[in-house]
């Protein structure tokens, strides 16, 4: 099965201080050691998950010429559709074997951020697609807020340290379709080895083989969650902020065995981003003689822009 430990968010949300502290220790320890956990007790209902998968399958089954009308030029793929093979991992030329959609933030009470973020793209052919996407986005954002509160405690910060930075943050919900493989891929996999850019990622759909995590010995190990669990991992922003105390782990989605080439795979990561102004300067309480400062000072917005260029989604 999976090397990834399981935690239950209900422990953190309980009124029992011992259960809450147990959750903080478990998730903090996992993120220091492997950078991944499988989390139950989140805010997604079974009915919402079912509705989302139904809608995204309908979208990816639309004719290509219709999907292409939702690919918006000039915004680095931040909203709407990104076609097959367009994104590649940092340092790789081959495009990943996937197509995907982006739902972005639903800005409340902040006209400046409303201007900064592109608008969400409405799919005319599917009346429930955007409604279900928005509800999923909100429930994953709520789950992520409490995970970050637990990590703030683990890092000896105030529990609500991240709250102001993630309110109206530049987070992305990305339904991904890995289509059936029709011919021998040349050096390409469904998602090449990479670390995530953001604070934390919450992944729906890690229930079968495919997702692999690289441990500290450089070995690739399957990461498989139960159907009621989300897979959560540390992103590069949180790794920088914590001076690499919390590990952003390299992971990949490998191609299935040949007998399963004819099948599609769907997964839905939620990339929790802060607002652009958040400083990612290494926290003072994560720096000492044994752990010298590893990263230059930078804001979340500057770091994101750098990485989107490296991924080929923004041209210099």
């Amino acid at each position: 099965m999976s090397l990834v430990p399981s935690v239950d968010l209900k422990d953190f949300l309980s009124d029992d201080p011992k259960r809450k502290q147990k959750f903080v220790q478990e998730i903090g320890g996992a993120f220091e050691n492997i950078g991944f956990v499988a989390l139950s007790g989140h805010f997604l209902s079974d009915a919402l998950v079912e509705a989302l998968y139904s809608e995204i399958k309908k979208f990816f089954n639309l004719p290509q010429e219709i999907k292409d009308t939702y690919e918006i030029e000039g915004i680095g793929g931040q909203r709407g559709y990104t076609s097959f093979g367009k994104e590649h991992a940092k340092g790789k030329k081959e495009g990943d074997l996937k197509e995907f959609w982006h739902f972005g933030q639903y800005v409340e009470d902040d006209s400046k951020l409303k201007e900064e973020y592109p608008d969400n793209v409405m799919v005319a052919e599917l009346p429930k697609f955007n409604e279900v996407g928005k509800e999923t986005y909100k429930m994953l954002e709520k789950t992520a807020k409490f995970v970050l509160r637990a990590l703030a405690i683990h890092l000896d910060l105030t529990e609500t340290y991240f709250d102001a930075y993630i309110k109206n943050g530049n987070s992305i919900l990305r339904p991904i379709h890995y289509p059936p493989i029709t011919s021998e891929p040349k050096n390409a996999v469904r998602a090449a080895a990479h670390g995530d850019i953001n604070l934390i990622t919450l992944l729906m759909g890690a229930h079968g083989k495919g997702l692999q995590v690289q441990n500290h010995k450089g070995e690739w190990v399957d990461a498989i969650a139960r159907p009621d669990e989300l897979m959560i991992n540390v992103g590069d922003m949180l790794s920088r902020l914590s001076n690499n105390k919390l590990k952003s782990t390299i992971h990949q989605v490998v191609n299935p065995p040949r007998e399963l080439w004819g099948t599609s795979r769907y997964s839905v990561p939620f990339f929790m981003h802060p607002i652009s102004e958040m400083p990612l300067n290494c926290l003072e309480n994560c720096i000492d003689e044994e752990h010298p400062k590893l990263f230059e000072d930078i804001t979340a917005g500057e770091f994101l822009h750098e990485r989107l260029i490296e991924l080929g989604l923004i041209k210099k």
Side-chain angles (χ1 to χ4, degrees), residues 13-294:
L13 299 174
S14 78
D15 294 327
D16 181 345
K18 285 184 179 169
R19 283 181 68 190
K20 186 171 181 176
Q21 189 54 35
K22 171 177 171 279
F23 180 87
V24 170
Q25 286 174 333
E26 286 175 346
I27 199 166
F31 281 174
E32 285 191 27
N33 291 314
I34 188 65
F36 271 75
V37 293
L39 178 121
S40 59
H42 49 75
F43 294 102
L44 290 176
S45 68
D46 291 346
L48 180 58
V49 171
E50 200 174 308
L52 180 73
Y53 276 105
S54 170
E55 290 301 312
I56 65 176
K57 285 175 184 176
K58 284 180 205 166
F59 175 79
F60 289 121
N61 280 333
L62 288 171
Q64 190 62 45
E65 58 269 24
I66 291 178
K67 289 189 287 189
D68 287 343
T69 64
Y70 293 109
E71 191 153 19
I72 314 298
E73 288 297 317
I75 59 169
Q78 289 182 73
R79 301 289 184 274
Y81 177 63
T82 296
S83 51
F84 183 82
K86 192 160 272 191
E87 185 180 70
H88 59 78
K90 178 179 172 181
K92 272 191 77 89
K93 295 194 296 287
E94 296 82 16
D96 289 343
L97 306 179
K98 67 188 182 195
E99 55 179 345
F100 55 88
W101 180 271
H102 275 166
F103 297 101
Q105 183 59 266
Y106 302 87
V107 177
E108 295 162 5
D109 59 41
D110 192 321
S111 53
K112 178 176 166 286
L113 282 176
K114 222 174 176 60
E115 288 285 310
E116 182 183 326
Y117 300 155
D119 291 334
N120 275 299
V121 178
M122 308 302 286
V123 177
E125 292 79 5
L126 300 171
K128 287 191 173 172
F129 180 82
N130 291 89
E131 177 192 327
V132 170
K134 181 177 182 178
E135 181 64 13
T136 306
Y137 186 105
K138 293 288 188 187
M139 292 301 103
L140 287 167
E141 187 175 50
K142 185 177 178 182
T143 301
K145 177 174 80 170
F146 288 104
V147 170
L148 285 172
R149 284 186 177 182
L151 294 175
I153 295 170
H154 180 71
L155 294 171
D156 295 322
L157 303 168
T158 57
E159 183 174 331
T160 55
Y161 175 87
F162 291 100
D163 283 21
Y165 293 125
I166 62 174
K167 180 176 164 46
N168 289 325
N170 196 13
S171 300
I172 293 283
L173 178 65
R174 174 189 276 193
I176 302 172
H177 174 222
Y178 303 102
I181 296 170
T182 53
S183 60
E184 187 75 51
K186 292 193 179 88
N187 297 325
V189 293
R190 285 183 157 175
H194 65 284
D196 291 342
I197 301 170
N198 41 292
L199 289 170
I200 55 173
T201 301
L202 288 71
L203 176 66
M204 303 167 62
H207 308 145
K209 281 197 171 187
L211 177 65
Q212 293 185 333
V213 178
Q214 194 172 45
N215 66 18
H216 297 328
K217 297 177 187 167
E219 300 161 334
W220 288 104
V221 192
D222 291 327
I224 303 170
R226 298 194 315 256
D228 66 327
E229 291 178 323
L230 299 171
M231 197 67 80
I232 304 188
N233 64 277
V234 176
D236 291 346
M237 287 184 183
L238 187 57
S239 177
R240 284 185 82 106
L241 185 73
S242 68
N243 200 33
N244 207 33
K245 180 173 180 164
L246 305 182
K247 304 289 190 290
S248 176
T249 306
I250 300 295
H251 52 285
Q252 64 183 3
V253 180
V254 295
N255 299 332
R258 189 177 279 269
E259 62 269 20
L260 295 176
W261 275 14
T263 60
S264 282
R265 177 187 171 99
Y266 298 90
S267 68
V268 189
F270 177 78
F271 300 112
M272 170 57 93
H273 281 265
I275 55 174
S276 298
E277 289 81 16
M278 181 181 181
L280 299 179
N281 310 349
C282 299
L283 295 165
E284 290 295 328
N285 54 355
C286 294
I287 301 170
D288 56 33
E289 281 186 21
E290 286 180 38
H291 305 92
K293 184 177 176 183
L294 296 173

